[in-house]
Amino acid sequence: MPSIHRVLDPSAPPTTAKNICALAVMTKAPRAGQVKTRLVPPLSAEEAAQLNICFLRDTAAAIAKACGATARGVGVYTPVGAEAAYIDILPREFELIPQRGDGFGERLAFAAGDLFQCGFTSACLIDSDSPTVSGDVYKKAVEFLSKPGDRVVLGPSDDGGYYLIGLKRNHLQLFERIDWSTERVLEQTRQRARELNLEVELLPTGYDVDDATTLRRLCDELLSGKTTNDIAPNTRKFLATLIAQKKL
């Protein structure tokens, strides 16, 4: 089945209009046994993949609310050939661009470089594990990046990482000498920014959902009336179904 989304080619002449920020979610095709594996158990592999789809839908919906005339949603996906997997997940107006590289830092660095090569003026790389981040937060990131002067925008996660990094230029150093998947990621990234004399703008702190503990936290947040119904509605509905079936 062909994809409904335009696939960007960094090697082709830029086609993106000027002064557009890419709000780009990093995503792996949501196939059972290949995504959210740290949630198996308590979930089955299929349930974990379905939860990943809900996360992507909610993140994409929040991104779409922030877009308007100054930003555009992009799915930075892997593997190549999985474009059709996003037909019912990402809004039609989103574009796709393939991931490149091996390690996590390399994939982020290549994604930023490819987005700038496609003509975007600025780029935010967003994880797909934080479905409760609101559209207002992504809108604030775009506003920070529209200010004069070079800077980096970070959305801190309370595990010491970040759910978003926003750039106005392709600073590869921000992805070098980082201890990925540790509590040192955010602080090391801020240190790289200081070395580059970049101003750092911080967004509200969020959290990643990648294990049983953070899944319980998400259930408590979404199903106990602590958030409004417009936050992560797809995830909220799916978790409620799992709980009703006594699977959580």
Side-chain angles (χ1 to χ4, degrees):
M1 182 183 297
S3 174
I4 63 171
H5 302 100
R6 183 165 75 111
V7 180
L8 300 174
D9 181 359
S11 66
T15 57
T16 301
K18 292 183 178 180
N19 300 319
I20 300 293
C21 176
L23 290 173
V25 58
M26 305 291 293
T27 169
K28 184 177 184 180
R31 296 168 176 165
Q34 298 182 26
V35 294
K36 311 306 293 178
T37 55
R38 291 175 63 191
L39 293 177
V40 181
L43 304 180
S44 68
E46 182 59 40
E47 289 164 348
Q50 287 298 314
L51 184 64
N52 182 246
I53 289 172
C54 292
F55 284 9
L56 284 170
R57 286 176 175 155
D58 287 330
T59 299
I63 288 171
K65 290 179 181 178
C67 283
T70 58
R72 186 175 302 165
V74 182
V76 187
Y77 71 100
T78 187
V80 172
E83 298 82 6
Y86 297 96
I87 290 176
D88 296 324
I89 298 175
L90 301 180
R92 295 179 68 92
E93 63 270 20
F94 271 50
E95 295 170 321
L96 295 175
I97 191 168
Q99 287 188 34
R100 298 191 295 122
D102 295 322
F104 188 62
E106 197 171 85
R107 287 178 178 268
L108 288 174
F110 279 138
D114 288 347
L115 289 166
F116 285 118
Q117 191 68 28
C118 288
F120 289 99
T121 305
S122 56
C124 292
L125 304 177
I126 299 164
D127 78 15
S128 58
D129 297 326
S130 305
T132 60
V133 178
S134 71
D136 289 340
V137 172
Y138 296 133
K139 184 176 181 181
K140 188 64 177 178
V142 175
E143 291 174 356
F144 278 141
L145 291 171
S146 69
K147 294 164 61 175
D150 201 4
R151 67 193 65 243
V152 59
V153 178
L154 293 169
S157 293
D158 59 11
D159 61 0
Y162 55 74
Y163 61 83
L164 177 151
I165 182 168
L167 310 169
K168 297 185 71 171
R169 293 177 57 193
N170 187 24
H171 293 292
L172 293 176
Q173 299 95 318
L174 291 171
F175 306 105
E176 296 173 346
R177 294 178 291 140
I178 304 294
D179 298 323
W180 299 106
S181 301
T182 74
E183 72 283 356
R184 297 182 293 277
V185 170
L186 180 68
E187 185 48 46
Q188 289 175 339
T189 304
R190 296 182 73 175
Q191 177 60 36
R192 299 294 88 76
R194 287 191 290 269
E195 293 168 2
L196 294 166
N197 294 315
L198 290 175
E199 182 175 353
V200 176
E201 306 275 11
L202 293 178
L203 298 169
T205 300
Y207 66 99
D208 295 343
V209 180
D210 51 17
D211 58 21
T213 299
T214 48
L215 181 61
R216 287 193 295 271
R217 176 179 176 179
L218 182 67
C219 288
D220 181 61
E221 181 176 352
L222 294 181
L223 303 178
S224 63
K226 294 181 179 180
T227 60
T228 57
N229 289 335
D230 61 325
I231 298 296
N234 293 283
T235 301
R236 185 192 306 267
K237 182 178 179 180
F238 185 65
L239 292 176
T241 298
L242 290 178
I243 289 174
Q245 295 173 347
K246 301 188 185 304
K247 295 183 177 182
L248 276 181

